[in-house]
Amino acid sequence: MDCLFCKICAKTIDSDIVYEDEKVIAFLDINPVNPGHVLVLPKIHVEHLVDLSDEDILPVMKVVKKIMKALMSQSDVEGINILQNNYSAAGQVVPHVHFHVIPRKQGDGHRHWPGTAYQEGESAIMAERIKSAL
Amino acid sequence: MDCLFCKICAKTIDSDIVYEDEKVIAFLDINPVNPGHVLVLPKIHVEHLVDLSDEDILPVMKVVKKIMKALMSQSDVEGINILQNNYSAAGQVVPHVHFHVIPRKQGDGHRHWPGTAYQEGESAIMAERIKSAL
């Protein structure tokens, strides 16, 4: 078991656990984007979101909601981002599926990625590409 | 019904829909972070993730997985971010809960927010604050 998050689940590595049940664990990210940044994950080891069964997703999402509520009850929290990264190209560092629950404040300095409108006709082609892969 | 996304669900505003079922709709973001950026949302109008019932979350997450698989099957996609913003402080623009499914590529220029380690003792205090609010 070389997975950092499996070791945290097994308590062979310490962490600031804020919630735990049979299937799910939630603990503080040691390098928070903002203080109170929590990671929520299934105890079962799967790498990416698509590998997580429907039965295992619901318990995780319930805990994501629970943590979000607890964070929103803090006086200094004005918003929450849920972020889940898959593969290193998307910034995934630990290969055990996890959801970032990130407390936000107006003007905290974190910039969202800019979007760029499609050229005429491009979006219809892209939609077809995705539909044909479903 | 003044909600942009409710109008898209009702087809009174056009969009590039890639998937639809009884409870969920998925369409292209008109200002994609990268081409193929999809929004997945419940047809029911709720503003934030915590307002979405457990019964309504699972169908949405199933579609998020489905879209993620379709995007990963494209030759130019190397990773996927799932992003869900709550409240304007977190970058939420349309007040109807939605998940961004963002295709990524190594070196596409999108920077992730930096983290900062806690000072000694700070994380234990933060964990207690969250636990006592659960």
Side-chain angles (χ1 to χ4, degrees):
Chain A
M1 188 175 68
D2 275 334
C3 169
L4 173 64
F5 288 170
C6 284
K7 286 177 181 166
I8 286 178
C9 291
K11 317 282 168 65
T12 55
I13 289 184
D14 271 348
S15 69
D16 290 294
I17 295 171
V18 296
Y19 177 84
E20 185 175 12
D21 63 29
E22 195 195 337
K23 290 193 153 193
V24 183
I25 192 166
F27 51 86
L28 295 186
D29 191 308
I30 57 167
N31 287 305
V33 164
N34 280 326
H37 174 171
V38 171
L39 303 181
V40 178
L41 43 120
K43 291 182 173 178
I44 189 172
H45 180 86
V46 298
E47 285 196 31
H48 307 115
L49 186 62
V50 292
D51 306 321
L52 198 60
S53 70
D54 297 337
E55 293 68 39
D56 287 326
I57 279 187
L58 187 58
V60 173
M61 296 311 293
K62 283 184 181 183
V63 178
V64 166
K65 286 204 297 181
K66 198 185 278 287
I67 299 295
M68 184 178 155
K69 267 187 204 164
L71 288 173
M72 285 301 302
S73 75
Q74 307 295 312
S75 59
D76 53 349
V77 175
E78 298 172 354
I80 300 279
N81 296 116
I82 311 297
L83 177 64
Q84 194 278 318
N85 303 331
N86 300 276
Y87 298 93
S88 61
Q92 183 174 16
V93 178
V94 179
H96 181 135
V97 66
H98 54 286
F99 287 79
H100 297 262
V101 184
I102 304 173
R104 297 290 306 280
K105 230 172 138 158
Q106 224 45 272
D108 61 13
H110 299 301
R111 299 243 183 124
H112 288 259
W113 298 329
T116 309
Y118 289 99
Q119 300 292 310
E120 178 78 27
E122 268 184 2
S123 70
I125 293 166
M126 181 56 73
E128 282 310 316
R129 268 177 67 183
I130 296 171
K131 278 195 273 185
S132 67
L134 282 173
Chain B
M1 187 175 71
D2 275 335
C3 170
L4 173 64
F5 288 170
C6 285
K7 287 178 181 166
I8 286 178
C9 291
K11 316 282 166 68
T12 56
I13 289 183
D14 272 348
S15 69
D16 289 294
I17 296 171
V18 296
Y19 177 85
E20 185 176 11
D21 62 31
E22 195 195 340
K23 291 194 154 193
V24 183
I25 192 166
F27 51 85
L28 295 186
D29 191 307
I30 57 167
N31 287 306
V33 164
N34 280 326
H37 174 171
V38 171
L39 303 181
V40 177
L41 43 121
K43 290 182 174 177
I44 190 171
H45 181 86
V46 299
E47 285 195 30
H48 306 116
L49 187 62
V50 291
D51 306 321
L52 197 60
S53 71
D54 297 338
E55 293 67 39
D56 287 326
I57 279 187
L58 187 57
V60 174
M61 296 311 293
K62 283 184 183 184
V63 178
V64 166
K65 286 204 296 181
K66 197 187 279 287
I67 299 295
M68 184 177 154
K69 266 186 204 166
L71 289 173
M72 285 301 302
S73 75
Q74 307 295 312
S75 59
D76 53 349
V77 175
E78 297 172 355
I80 300 280
N81 296 117
I82 311 298
L83 177 63
Q84 195 276 321
N85 304 331
N86 300 276
Y87 298 93
S88 61
Q92 183 174 15
V93 178
V94 179
H96 180 135
V97 66
H98 54 286
F99 286 79
H100 297 263
V101 184
I102 304 172
R104 297 290 305 282
K105 229 172 138 158
Q106 221 49 269
D108 61 13
H110 299 302
R111 299 242 183 123
H112 288 258
W113 297 330
T116 309
Y118 290 99
Q119 301 291 310
E120 178 78 27
E122 268 184 1
S123 69
I125 293 166
M126 180 55 72
E128 282 310 316
R129 269 177 67 184
I130 296 172
K131 278 195 274 185
S132 67
L134 280 173

